[in-house]
């Protein structure tokens, strides 16, 4: 792509330009340059894409599931072949390190592996002779046109959480990627077409609220998967369900990392830093609050500051040896700065300040550690979504668990300890849906559900794992009775009363 070219949509298997005067700039955050312009589609332009997906539905839903899965096998081969190229696109438009982009591709490829196994998961249940001479069975059917609306922080992985599963389940799909990072999704769409997916089964539309509202209101859309911030997740869930759609909506997070006095400090610090500063803190499973229990606090903060201060931060598009890349845009850089000011104003101690002079125009900020944060401070409660780790000091595990009880969010939480009993208490009682024991980022891979709690998730069936197959299918139950001959009783066999 040449500089600042307009990004196409993908409709009916073809790349197309939409006519609009509304755009969102796509940046290379390492350089601060504009590398593309995402068109913001109108409601009418969006509705046309829905019509295309709806027209492709009947033939695709009738295609045998094993044939649908075989296209994913070919897509998997293409993704593996183009993996380095796909990882480089993520780094270019998002800014995370090449290593992190490769890890993102690995998680995405695993979703395609999972989706390739759906023929086994989509099978129904049978109960022969559920009543006299009556056999019962259930089957799973596609739900219809499905929509995915995704955030900027995983340009490739989060779309891959959705469309491979929806498509193999027999649905057609419309992806509305983040307007800040559309390039990864476009390349995945091209590879899907190359893998042999029929036109109209997978489409990409770009836009903001107008486009999202059009999708949420369109009568031909059956299901919506959303991942993004909590305010928008709640909005999408409420509007989508009010319009009769099935919705799964994953929101923001505030993840706690509990360090017990018996933890190995060295290993814990490395895990904490990877959790808090990986992808420059722009992960919904990023550790955001370290809860230091008892005597561990002083040595932990000392080691954390020295380790985090040694991390190499810079332009990831030209240096693959860096530990951390830039933030997504200047708004994010300013937001991190303002949180550090708020922390100091509320009486916390900024033990490591990531605001430094970086060369170039990239959206850089270094890792920060804020010590002596109190549970009622804004830093302890709000999602910062950047490389800032707050430290709350508590006396015991009970106090650490109580912090979780007062948290609005509930994505992930981890404990670092050598004691089985503390780990067990934490696992059973901490108020979050994904738990790590000596694991800094307890994000499941494709085969298990991404089980956020509280305001980190709105809906019932989660993304990933068997739950996602259930989300993208609806069940049909059939009772069957065959009569031996025309003279047989026509009495309803299930409801006929029989004397014992
Ligand atoms: P965002 O909520 O700003 O945007 C997400 C999507 O919603 C984008 O496609 C965007 O175009 C759309 N959108 C934005 N404003 C809208 C509006 N007013 N009406 C309708 N649609 C709108 O999120 P983001 O900044 O791109 O991503 C970061 C957020 O995503 C963080 O809060 C992070 O925790 C969250 N996230 C959550 C998970 C999870 O699994 N829970 C995973 C990744 C990211």
């Amino acid at each position: 792509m040449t500089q600042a070219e307009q990004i196409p949509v993908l409709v009916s298997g073809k790349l197309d330009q939409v006519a609009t005067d509304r755009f969102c700039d796509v940046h290379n955050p390492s350089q601060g340059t504009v590398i593309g312009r995402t068109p913001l589609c109108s409601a009418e332009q969006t509705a046309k894409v829905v019509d295309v997906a709806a027209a492709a539905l009947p033939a695709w839903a009738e295609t045998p599931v094993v044939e649908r899965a075989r296209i994913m096998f070919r897509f998997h081969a293409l993704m593996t072949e183009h993996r380095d190229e796909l990882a480089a696109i993520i780094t270019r438009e998002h800014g995370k390190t090449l290593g992190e982009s490769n890890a993102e591709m690995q998680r995405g490829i695993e979703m395609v592996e999972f989706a390739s196994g759906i023929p086994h998961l989509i099978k129904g249940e049978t109960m022969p002779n559920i009543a006299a001479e009556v056999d019962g069975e259930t089957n799973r059917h596609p739900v219809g046109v499905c929509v995915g609306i995704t955030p900027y922080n995983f340009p490739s992985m989060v779309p891959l959480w959705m469309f491979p599963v929806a498509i193999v389940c027999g649905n057609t799909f419309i992806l509305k990627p983040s307007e800040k990072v559309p390039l990864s999704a476009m390349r995945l769409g091209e590879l899907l077409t190359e893998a042999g997916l029929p036109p109209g089964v997978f489409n990409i539309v770009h836009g903001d609220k107008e486009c999202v509202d059009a999708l949420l209101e369109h009568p031909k859309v059956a299901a919506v998967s959303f991942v993004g911030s909590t305010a928008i997740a709640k909005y999408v869930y409420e509007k989508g369900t009010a319009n009769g759609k099935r919705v799964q909506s994953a929101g923001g997070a505030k993840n706690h990392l509990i360090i017990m006095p018996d933890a190995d400090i060295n290993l814990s610090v490395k895990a904490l830093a990877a959790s808090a500063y990986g992808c420059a803190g722009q992960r919904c499973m990023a550790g955001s609050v370290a809860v230091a229990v008892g005597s561990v606090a002083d040595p932990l903060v000392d080691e954390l500051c020295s380790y985090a201060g040694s991390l190499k931060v810079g332009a990831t598009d030209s240096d693959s040896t860096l530990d951390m890349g830039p933030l997504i845009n200047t708004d994010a850089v300013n937001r991190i700065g303002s949180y550090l000011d708020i922390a100091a104003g509320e009486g916390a101690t900024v033990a490591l300040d990531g605001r430094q002079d970086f060369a170039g125009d990239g959206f850089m900020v270094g890792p920060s550690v804020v010590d002596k944060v109190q549970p009622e401070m804004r830093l302890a409660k709000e999602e910062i979504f950047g490389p800032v780790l707050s430290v709350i000091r508590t006396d015991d595990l009970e106090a650490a668990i109580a912090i979780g009880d007062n948290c609005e969010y509930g994505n992930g939480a981890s404990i670092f300890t050598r004691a089985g009993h503390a780990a067990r208490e934490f696992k059973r009682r901490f108020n979050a849906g994904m738990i790590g024991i000596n694991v800094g980022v307890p994000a499941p891979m494709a085969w298990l559900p991404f089980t956020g709690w509280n305001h980190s998730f709105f809906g019932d069936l989660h993304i990933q794992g068997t739950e996602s197959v259930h989300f993208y299918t609806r069940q049909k139950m059939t009772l069957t009775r065959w009569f031996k001959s025309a003279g047989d009783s026509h009495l309803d066999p299930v409801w006929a009363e029989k004397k014992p």
Side-chain angles (χ1 to χ4, degrees):
M1 169 165 308
T2 57
Q3 193 114 356
E5 196 176 303
Q6 177 175 334
I7 315 294
V9 292
L10 176 69
V11 185
S12 216
K14 292 197 193 77
L15 300 178
D16 209 357
Q17 293 292 349
V18 292
T20 181
D21 54 5
R22 294 203 310 127
F23 293 94
C24 170
D25 284 343
V26 181
H27 289 101
N28 173 351
S30 288
Q31 306 300 336
T33 47
V34 177
I35 55 170
R37 296 192 309 156
T38 310
L40 304 175
C41 292
S42 67
E44 293 73 31
Q45 288 163 334
T46 305
K48 283 190 186 145
V49 184
V50 179
D51 287 339
V52 166
L57 182 65
W60 184 244
E62 276 303 308
T63 303
V65 64
V66 287
E67 286 182 31
R68 299 194 303 243
R70 275 184 203 125
I71 290 179
M72 284 302 145
F73 277 88
R74 292 199 285 277
F75 182 48
H76 182 275
L78 287 168
M79 285 176 75
T80 309
E81 188 188 324
H82 291 272
R83 183 180 172 143
D84 289 346
E85 175 204 345
L86 289 161
I89 296 173
I90 297 174
T91 290
R92 185 157 178 260
E93 67 177 341
H94 175 282
K96 62 182 76 175
T97 66
L98 260 183
E100 290 165 343
S101 296
N102 252 297
E104 171 169 353
M105 282 317 303
Q106 179 58 29
R107 296 285 91 81
I109 286 171
E110 286 160 2
M111 281 306 300
V112 181
E113 288 166 3
F114 171 80
S116 305
I118 283 176
H120 189 63
L121 295 173
I122 206 169
K123 289 183 298 187
E125 296 175 314
T126 63
M127 191 159 174
N129 236 21
I130 193 168
E133 292 189 40
V134 175
D135 298 330
E137 65 175 65
T138 60
N139 289 297
R140 290 194 170 273
H141 290 245
V143 290
V145 176
C146 297
V147 163
I149 302 163
T150 54
Y152 81 80
N153 65 324
F154 282 99
S156 202
M157 181 189 79
V158 173
L160 285 162
W161 276 357
M162 303 171 181
F163 69 78
V165 180
I167 287 175
V168 180
C169 286
N171 305 283
T172 56
F173 200 89
I174 300 163
L175 175 65
K176 209 268 343 138
S178 166
E179 59 276 37
K180 297 180 186 124
V181 292
L183 301 175
S184 299
M186 293 312 303
R187 190 68 188 114
L188 291 175
E190 287 173 350
L191 293 180
L192 255 185
T193 307
E194 201 179 323
L197 195 71
V201 175
F202 177 74
N203 309 278
I204 299 178
V205 64
H206 301 294
D208 56 4
K209 186 175 188 315
E210 179 173 347
C211 172
V212 170
D213 282 347
L215 293 167
L216 295 174
E217 285 165 4
H218 200 294
K220 288 184 190 161
V221 170
V224 178
S225 301
F226 174 89
V227 175
S229 58
T230 284
I232 311 299
K234 188 164 181 285
Y235 171 76
V236 166
Y237 180 75
E238 288 173 353
K239 195 174 181 77
T241 51
N243 281 290
K245 295 167 201 335
R246 192 179 273 211
V247 182
Q248 53 179 192
S249 201
K254 191 82 191 167
N255 305 311
H256 297 87
L257 306 166
I258 284 63
I259 306 93
M260 298 299 287
D262 66 346
D264 180 315
I265 297 253
N266 215 287
L267 292 179
S268 304
V269 162
K270 285 192 178 127
L272 258 58
S275 177
Y277 308 126
C279 299
Q282 300 167 110
R283 288 194 290 213
C284 69
M285 291 297 282
S288 182
V289 178
V291 184
V293 176
S295 57
V296 81
D298 282 337
L300 182 84
V301 171
D302 284 352
E303 277 214 36
L304 198 52
C305 289
S306 116
Y307 186 79
S310 73
L311 295 176
K312 288 193 290 170
V313 183
T316 48
D317 64 339
S318 54
D319 185 347
S320 59
T321 67
L322 296 169
D323 299 305
M324 202 178 101
L327 296 176
I328 190 68
N329 54 28
T330 41
D331 286 352
V333 174
N334 294 337
R335 191 182 67 243
I336 300 312
S338 79
Y339 268 113
L340 294 173
D341 290 341
I342 289 166
E346 287 188 330
T349 307
V350 180
L352 177 69
D353 194 322
R355 290 171 289 189
Q356 307 152 30
D357 283 333
F358 289 94
D361 295 325
F363 309 133
M364 309 293 168
V365 96
S368 295
V369 177
V370 184
D371 193 13
K372 298 185 179 148
V373 171
Q374 298 298 322
E376 62 281 0
M377 290 180 181
R378 283 185 60 188
L379 246 66
K381 292 198 289 200
E382 297 173 15
E383 182 178 43
I384 298 172
F385 218 59
V388 178
L389 185 59
S390 304
V391 181
I392 299 181
R393 298 172 176 233
T394 62
D395 291 337
D396 52 29
L397 181 59
E398 285 302 315
I401 289 174
I403 290 170
D405 289 338
N406 293 318
C407 182
E408 174 195 352
Y409 301 99
N411 247 14
S414 295
I415 191 168
F416 295 86
T417 182
R418 290 186 170 100
H421 186 262
R424 184 173 185 275
E425 282 294 295
F426 174 77
K427 177 173 87 171
R428 283 173 56 78
R429 291 173 49 205
F430 202 88
N431 179 30
M434 290 173 271
I435 295 293
I437 295 170
N438 298 316
V439 171
V441 184
M445 284 104 98
W447 300 273
L448 290 175
F450 204 90
T451 46
W453 281 11
N454 310 325
H455 283 183
S456 291
F457 184 76
F458 302 88
D460 175 17
L461 296 169
H462 291 87
I463 292 165
Q464 292 197 162
T466 312
E467 280 197 29
S468 67
V469 176
H470 293 179
F471 180 78
Y472 291 121
T473 52
R474 52 185 174 163
Q475 295 197 82
K476 181 176 277 186
M477 193 285 307
T478 308
L479 289 184
T480 306
R481 184 188 191 208
W482 294 107
F483 297 104
K484 220 194 251 170
S485 66
D488 266 7
S489 163
H490 283 256
L491 195 62
D492 185 317
V494 176
W495 297 106
E497 278 188 32
K498 267 195 185 160
K499 296 233 160 70

